[in-house]
């Protein structure tokens, strides 16, 4: 029997210690649309001289893993886990802010092969980047890139492992399920066609003598960036770009009342935006990259509140 992509199960469980899968793990099934993790090998070529001009060997020097999953935005534990791992924080009274924790997961990919399945486990998985894409008349989608310590192959589950089925909360779309989208006090309020958001932790491996694998990954600052494409209807928004202005960006995302998420970037700085005139059949747009910077009032660069009405 050959494995089909449609039958791949992606499951995850939080780790207490980096790179150590919990005993009798309670895996939860992730809601992904595509992508996967893989081993990345580093090798060096032998420089030893040989009279017959052949290469003596290709030498294994390191092993790591990682990759990207794509998803459609829906409420539930999977989204809660992705957000907390990306922001490196902990939910407290349904509020999450970017922080300095180092949460890790064991990710398991199961390939259906009939009588004997294939399991690839990736202990020591940490979120490097998390992105969201909100576009008019589109599903709200995203992707998460992970760095993993290693890949372990098996043909059986971890002893005592259990698996929770994926959630059934509906998928959000930008037409009906995005509300309270504001960009500071700019007047008139911008009418936005597309909005993208990315959290980037800048993870790096930490190789050490005596091991093929990395120690717990190092991290850069919490870089929160994105872009806005808004219809041009006055000078106000573009003037804010020219003035190198700042504003608070906020929006609520989700389908069901009581399960929505509120995203607040208390202070974004407008980057090198442009007024895009286009051609005869184009709308004039204001395209603005932005970066979230530290806000002393909220003591963060990004804040997410879950279970919003």
């Amino acid at each position: 029997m050959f494995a089909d992509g449609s039958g791949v199960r992606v499951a995850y469980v939080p780790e207490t210690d980096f790179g150590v899968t919990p005993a009798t793990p309670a895996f939860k099934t992730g809601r992904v649309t595509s992508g996967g993790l893989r081993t990345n090998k580093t090798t060096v070529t032998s420089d030893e001289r040989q009279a017959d001009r052949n290469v003596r060997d290709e030498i294994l020097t390191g092993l790591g893993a990682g990759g990207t999953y794509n998803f459609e935005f829906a409420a539930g534990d999977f989204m809660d886990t992705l957000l907390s791992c990306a922001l490196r924080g902990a939910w407290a009274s349904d509020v999450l802010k970017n922080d300095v924790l180092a949460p890790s997961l064991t990710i398991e990919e199961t390939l259906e092969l009939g009588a004997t399945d294939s399991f690839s486990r990736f202990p020591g998985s940490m979120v490097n980047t998390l992105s969201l894409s909100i576009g008019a008349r589109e599903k709200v989608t995203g992707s998460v890139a992970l760095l993993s310590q290693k890949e372990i192959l098996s043909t059986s589950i971890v002893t005592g492992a259990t698996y929770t089925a994926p959630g059934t909360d509906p998928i959000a779309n930008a037409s009906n399920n995005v509300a309270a989208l504001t960009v500071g006090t700019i007047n008139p309020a911008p009418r936005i066609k597309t909005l993208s958001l990315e959290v980037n932790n800048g993870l790096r491996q930490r190789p050490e003598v005596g091991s093929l694998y990395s120690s717990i990954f190092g991290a850069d600052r919490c870089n929160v960036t994105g872009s806005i494409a808004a219809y041009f209807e006055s000078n106000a928004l573009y003037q804010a770009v020219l003035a190198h202005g700042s504003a608070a960006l906020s929006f609520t995302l989700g389908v069901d009342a009581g399960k929505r998420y509120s995203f607040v970037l208390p202070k974004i700085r407008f980057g090198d935006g442009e007024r895009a005139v286009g051609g005869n059949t184009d709308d004039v747009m204001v395209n603005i990259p932005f970066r979230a910077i530290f806000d002393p009032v909220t003591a963060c660069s990004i804040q997410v509140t879950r279970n919003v009405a």
Side-chain angles (χ1 to χ4, degrees):
M1 179 177 178
F2 299 133
D4 293 311
S6 60
V8 177
R9 179 181 64 193
V10 177
Y12 62 96
V13 63
E15 297 176 345
T16 300
D17 298 309
F18 175 77
V20 180
T21 304
T24 62
F27 282 102
K28 296 180 179 179
T29 304
R31 299 177 65 177
V32 303
T33 58
S34 62
L37 308 184
R38 54 155 291 185
T39 289
N40 299 299
K41 298 196 298 184
T42 58
T43 62
V44 295
T45 306
S46 169
D47 291 322
E48 186 174 334
R49 292 175 177 172
Q50 288 200 173
D52 58 11
R53 299 179 56 251
N54 289 299
V55 174
R56 171 67 71 184
D57 200 1
E58 186 73 12
I59 304 159
L60 176 66
T61 58
L63 289 170
T68 300
Y69 293 114
N70 301 310
F71 60 86
E72 297 166 338
F73 190 95
D77 185 82
F78 183 56
M79 192 56 55
D80 292 349
T81 300
L82 290 186
L83 289 168
S84 63
C85 287
L87 271 60
R88 297 171 75 88
W91 291 100
S93 300
D94 287 333
V95 175
L96 173 68
K97 298 180 181 182
N98 61 287
D99 207 338
V100 296
L101 305 180
S104 63
L105 307 168
T106 291
I107 307 290
E108 181 185 81
E109 295 181 354
T110 304
L111 305 184
E112 177 62 45
L113 291 174
T116 303
D117 294 335
S118 172
F119 298 85
S120 285
R121 297 189 189 98
F122 298 87
S125 293
M126 304 179 83
V127 172
N128 190 20
T129 64
L130 176 69
S131 65
L132 293 176
S133 179
I134 303 172
R137 296 187 175 180
E138 297 285 350
K139 296 176 292 186
V140 178
T141 59
S143 65
V144 57
L146 299 115
L147 203 61
S148 307
Q149 187 186 50
K150 65 181 73 171
E151 179 180 11
I152 300 171
L153 289 179
S154 181
T155 56
S156 60
I157 67 170
V158 176
T159 302
T162 57
Y163 296 85
T164 300
T168 58
D169 289 283
I171 294 161
N173 70 78
S175 301
N176 302 313
N177 311 130
V178 178
L181 175 54
T182 61
V183 184
T185 58
I186 293 172
N187 186 28
R191 296 174 182 267
I192 294 173
K193 185 176 183 180
T194 62
L195 169 66
S196 68
L197 179 65
E198 181 180 87
V199 178
N200 189 329
N201 290 307
L203 297 185
R204 63 184 181 274
Q205 294 194 49
R206 286 171 166 162
E208 58 181 301
V209 173
S211 176
L212 287 171
Y213 307 109
S214 172
S215 296
I216 188 170
F217 305 125
D220 192 1
R221 295 172 294 179
C222 179
N223 287 292
V224 183
T225 58
S227 64
I228 295 169
Y231 294 101
F232 187 90
E233 54 182 331
S234 81
N235 284 341
L237 182 59
Y238 188 47
Q239 180 60 54
V241 174
L242 298 180
H244 194 54
S246 64
L249 172 66
S250 63
F251 59 93
T252 299
L253 177 56
V255 179
D256 295 328
K259 292 186 176 183
R260 299 181 179 120
Y261 297 78
S262 171
F263 290 79
V264 178
L265 283 61
K267 190 174 183 179
I268 62 171
R269 186 72 73 183
F270 298 127
D272 185 22
E274 64 168 351
R275 183 179 58 188
V277 175
N280 290 327
T281 60
D282 296 318
D283 294 303
V284 178
M285 306 295 292
V286 183
N287 300 321
I288 310 171
F290 64 81
R291 175 180 292 277
I293 58 178
F294 177 73
D295 172 57
V297 176
T298 57
C300 68
S301 297
I302 179 172
Q303 176 178 300
V304 183
T305 304
R306 64 183 175 185
N307 298 331
V308 174

